[in-house]
Amino acid sequence: MEYKLINPSDPYTFLAEDFETATLAVFLLGTMYGAEPKEPGEEVPIFLFGGAVEWYKERFGRSPDEGLAEKGQSVSYALGSFMLGGFEDRRRYNAALEAITEEDKRIEFVNAWQDGHSSLNDIGTYAHKLAERLKRKEATV
């Protein structure tokens, strides 16, 4: 499922296989963010003043760390899918990626696309770095 990150700066979208994966990806970025699905569905709330862990436990029946232990690879994929832009931008982004066959050129394209952010807070690059850390099992909620 495709989600829009709720944040006060540049628009970002990402892909997650389910709501729990989307929640964990957002929580790793910070509980000052939320997420809204493209299709009708549940939203990841913003927790500016605490309560995220308690909400997660009530909603999913386990702690965020337990969820991350089970869904780490899915969360890594979700974080790696963060893209600067809205839902319609992702269609063009995916079409360009599909046309690029060389892996080093794909990475170059992704980096150039992400470089279009206007905020000092480069959420996309941070999400991609977290994805790599998760692949190496170095990230925690």
Side-chain angles (χ1 to χ4, degrees):
M1 178 173 277
E2 191 172 354
Y3 289 85
K4 170 178 74 172
L5 185 71
I6 300 169
N7 76 92
S9 62
D10 296 314
Y12 285 91
T13 62
F14 67 100
L15 306 173
E17 68 179 23
D18 56 36
F19 180 61
E20 185 177 13
T21 300
T23 300
L24 288 166
V26 171
F27 279 17
L28 280 171
L29 290 173
T31 58
M32 71 288 240
Y33 301 115
E36 182 179 295
K38 182 177 182 179
E39 304 299 326
E42 207 167 350
E43 294 183 12
V44 178
I46 295 171
F47 293 96
L48 284 177
F49 303 108
V53 172
E54 295 78 11
W55 175 86
Y56 185 94
K57 285 179 179 178
E58 185 177 305
R59 176 62 178 80
F60 298 106
R62 58 184 172 184
S63 73
D65 285 333
E66 292 168 330
L68 189 59
E70 182 178 315
K71 301 180 90 45
Q73 290 306 306
S74 296
V75 176
S76 176
Y77 173 80
L79 289 165
S81 75
F82 264 76
M83 181 215 71
L84 177 66
F87 292 129
E88 185 56 30
D89 296 318
R90 183 168 287 279
R91 185 185 56 75
R92 293 190 334 267
Y93 177 83
N94 285 341
L97 275 179
E98 288 174 17
I100 303 170
T101 57
E102 297 174 43
E103 187 59 27
D104 58 327
K105 298 289 184 190
R106 288 172 64 89
I107 292 169
E108 190 177 313
F109 169 78
V110 169
N111 290 337
W113 184 284
Q114 296 294 90
D115 197 36
H117 65 91
S118 63
S119 171
L120 291 176
N121 191 6
D122 184 358
I123 296 168
T125 298
Y126 181 58
H128 294 169
K129 287 179 181 178
L130 281 173
E132 290 303 315
R133 287 183 58 202
L134 258 181
K135 286 180 188 173
R136 296 188 308 268
K137 300 192 188 274
E138 297 174 6
T140 59
V141 180

